[in-house]
């Protein structure tokens, strides 16, 4: 989440290079199913073990599992080290192409007509990135020069929230970015190869993964929508279209049309606007209409002023386009979000791809009466952002994020923050379900800061650089926790990391500013956490802080880097454990210095601790 640091930054000792856990998420070829607009129920024959994570339309191939003549690097969990770029790879391993002729190749298992490559190339000597190409080969023939860049990666200054593009600050991170391209049809069994040739001028290419997807043809314009091209926007011409797009929006709102249409192509939204008082007008503003495109692979808004604001009475319907910003570092004084502010009543964001912004969606806005109620976000992708993927803030309620994918977030991928600022009510009755998160390089996969009746379920978290997989935290001036926060059917893989002088457990409960209460964590699998699997931390400076009415049921911790269960800083209160299993912890199953036995209410079914 954006805001003040959680503590003074201190570099802690760190144990890196742990063995990888065994889970389908880490396999070289993960076959995913096609997305749907309707919720996907758990299998009727296995109601106790519903599917976890988003149902996604691509197959993911880990580079290290492919064929290569180059060097496989990792595993490593050493942060902020240019010699350990693979620490920020999914699975903590990658392939490094250094010499002309170096390659990595995979064989497709399903038909596809698009590719996404997650990779890292060097920064420029003074920061700000470089541009280069990389050869894409199909069955032995170079068919495309992929345009790759480091302009949206390589920031510095380690734990600091401000992330300058200045190598002199040291402690580099956020190494990876992605390139995507539509290609001719690749039948199952096609060899897809990435190769550094003489024309590919970056000093090295670290390849993390390849996603291959069968992309549907462009959608046709629905009846009743106004095309932005009718108001002066022109695709693919490198001329700014912000004024034309806003004119189309204003006409649709004023004439009570259904909405506007973004045709195929890329439309620039870089121009700055000011009001009559000379104050800047940020982004694009609309209310009560649809904002739709031909598909997230076909219709693109690109630029630094592409933030979308839904305001006033009535909600907005955003669908089927990409929103690609120009954010290359974090500055919390700049909005620079994909979607920002109160989203009104019953807004929808679906089939949208958001990348290179500060926050994907920040719902709720300080001092703004138009709150967010009934927002639904589904079937969307949030990649390479410098802060949160989605933050339900400032009283957001009755809202859902489902069947969406998050990768390379610079803060919490998914957060519910019940901030008390300006009289905002608690966030409540929000649900994150069937979502997949990969490699947060700062903060947590999932976080809840206060509020009530909020749920995270049927989801996966894979790789976290510095913080927890799930954080339940009374912090950031949040409303108190009230019944009930629920965590159900979640996998946490290689989660947890060092930050602010602390080692953060994969599933963490923290009472920094007050009690954490009324939490149910059920059917949680924690695999290969960097430090503790389950961690409780009390704030020793606030004697009223405590943990109570917390129930852990059917939770398994396997291969913890330190302890299976850890309670520190004089953790107080009582936590119920039922069916909690700990296996193969590096330092021991339980670590609770100075914590009374009464803290652990042991119910039937526990083992290994």
């Amino acid at each position: 989440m954006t805001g003040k640091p959680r503590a003074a930054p201190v570099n802690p000792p760190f144990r890196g290079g742990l063995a990888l856990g065994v889970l389908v998420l880490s396999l070289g070829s993960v076959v995913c199913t096609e997305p749907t607009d309707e919720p996907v129920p758990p299998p009727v024959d296995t109601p106790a073990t519903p599917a976890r994570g988003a149902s996604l339309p691509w197959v993911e191939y880990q580079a290290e599992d492919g064929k290569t003549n180059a060097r496989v690097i990792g595993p490593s969990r050493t942060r902020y080290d240019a010699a350990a770029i693979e620490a920020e790879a999914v699975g903590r391993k990658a392939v490094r192409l250094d010499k002309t002729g170096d390659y990595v190749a995979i064989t497709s298992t399903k038909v596809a007509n698009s590719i996404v490559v997650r990779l890292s190339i060097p920064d420029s000597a003074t920061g700000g990135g470089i541009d280069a190409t990389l050869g894409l080969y199909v069955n032995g023939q170079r068919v495309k020069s992929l345009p790759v860049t480091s302009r949206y990666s390589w920031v510095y200054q380690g734990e600091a929230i401000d992330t300058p593009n200045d190598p002199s600050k040291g402690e580099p991170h956020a190494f990876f970015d992605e390139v995507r391209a539509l290609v001719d049809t690749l039948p199952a069994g096609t060899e897809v190869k990435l190769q550094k040739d003489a024309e590919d001028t970056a000093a090295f290419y670290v390849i993390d993964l390849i996603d291959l997807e069968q992309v549907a043809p462009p959608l046709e314009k629905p009846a009743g929508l106004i095309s932005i091209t009718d108001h002066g926007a022109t695709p693919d011409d490198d001329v700014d279209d912000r004024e034309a797009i806003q004119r189309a929006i204003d006409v649709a709102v004023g004439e009570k049309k259904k909405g506007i249409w973004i045709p195929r192509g890329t439309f620039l939204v870089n121009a700055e606007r000011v009001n009559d008082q000379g104050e800047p007008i940020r982004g694009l503003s609309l209310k009560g209409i649809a904002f739709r495109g031909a598909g997230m692979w076909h219709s693109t808004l690109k630029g630094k002023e592409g933030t979308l604001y839904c305001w006033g009475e009535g909600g907005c319907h955003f669908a089927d386009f990409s929103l690609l910003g120009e954010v290359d570092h974090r500055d919390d004084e700049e909005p620079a979000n994909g979607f920002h502010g109160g989203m009104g009543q019953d807004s929808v964001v679906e089939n949208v791809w958001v990348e290179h912004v500060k926050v994907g969606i920040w719902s709720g806005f300080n001092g703004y009466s138009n709150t967010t109620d009934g927002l639904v976000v589904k079937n969307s992708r949030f990649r390479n952002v410098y802060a949160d993927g989605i933050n339900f803030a400032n009283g957001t309620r009755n809202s859902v994020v489902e069947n969406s994918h998050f990768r390379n977030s610079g803060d919490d991928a998914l957060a519910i923050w019940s901030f008390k600022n300006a009289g905002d009510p608690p966030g409540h009755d929000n649900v994150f379900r069937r979502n997949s998160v990969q490699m947060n390089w700062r903060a947590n996969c999932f976080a809840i800061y206060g509020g009530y009746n909020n749920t995270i379920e049927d989801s996966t978290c894979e790789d976290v650089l510095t913080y927890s997989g799930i954080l339940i935290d009374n912090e950031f001036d949040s409303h108190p926790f009230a019944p009930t926060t629920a965590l159900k059917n979640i996998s946490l893989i290689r989660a947890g990391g060092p930050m602010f002088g602390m080692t953060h457990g994969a599933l963490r409960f923290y009472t920094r500013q007050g009690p954490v209460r009324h939490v149910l964590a059920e059917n949680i699998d924690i695999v290969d956490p960097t430090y503790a699997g389950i961690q409780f931390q009390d704030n020793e400076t606030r004697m009223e802080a405590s943990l109570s009415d917390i129930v852990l049921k059917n939770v398994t911790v396997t291969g913890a880097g330190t302890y299976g269960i850890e309670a520190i800083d004089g953790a107080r209160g009582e936590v119920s454990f039922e069916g909690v299993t700990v296996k193969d912890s590096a330092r021991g199953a339980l670590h609770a210095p100075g914590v009374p036995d009464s803290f652990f209410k042991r119910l039937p079914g526990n083992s290994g601790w």
Side-chain angles (χ1 to χ4, degrees), residues 425-436:
H428 65 85
D429 293 281
N430 299 301
V431 179
F432 298 151
R433 62 182 173 226
R434 295 190 319 281
N435 298 299
S436 296

Side-chain angles (χ1 to χ4, degrees), residues 104-163:
V104 59
I106 57 94
T107 300
S108 62
T109 60
K110 293 180 66 177
V111 65
N113 61 1
S114 72
I115 185 170
V116 172
V117 180
R118 185 170 193 255
L119 79 166
S120 176
I121 65 172
D123 196 5
S124 64
T126 57
I130 64 170
D131 298 321
T133 58
L134 177 62
L136 172 62
Y137 283 72
V138 174
N139 290 332
Q141 298 295 317
R142 182 164 175 146
V143 298
K144 187 179 286 288
S145 295
L146 295 175
V148 299
T149 186
S150 55
R151 294 185 182 277
Y152 305 103
S153 53
W154 287 89
V155 293
Y156 301 86
Q157 205 162 266
E159 293 183 344
I161 282 183
D162 179 41
T163 54

Side-chain angles (χ1 to χ4, degrees), residues 180 217-236 239 241-250 252 258-269 284-286 289-303 305-308 317-324 339 350-353:
R180 67 178 188 175
L219 299 170
E220 298 295 330
K221 184 173 78 72
L225 298 188
I226 297 173
S227 176
I228 61 172
T229 57
D230 294 338
H231 291 268
T234 304
D236 307 320
V239 175
D241 297 299
R242 178 179 171 178
E243 291 289 348
I245 296 171
Q246 189 63 59
R247 280 197 301 271
I249 291 171
D250 293 344
K258 290 183 179 180
I260 68 165
W261 173 250
I262 312 298
R264 293 178 65 181
T266 297
F267 298 87
L268 297 185
V269 279
L284 299 165
S285 179
L286 60 152
I289 62 170
F291 190 98
R292 306 190 64 169
M296 63 169 68
W297 281 89
H298 303 295
S299 297
T300 300
L301 300 184
K302 182 174 175 60
E305 292 294 333
T307 298
L308 295 167
H317 186 181
F318 302 95
D320 302 307
F321 62 92
S322 286
L323 184 59
L324 308 182
F339 299 82
E350 60 179 328
N351 304 319
V352 169
W353 188 321

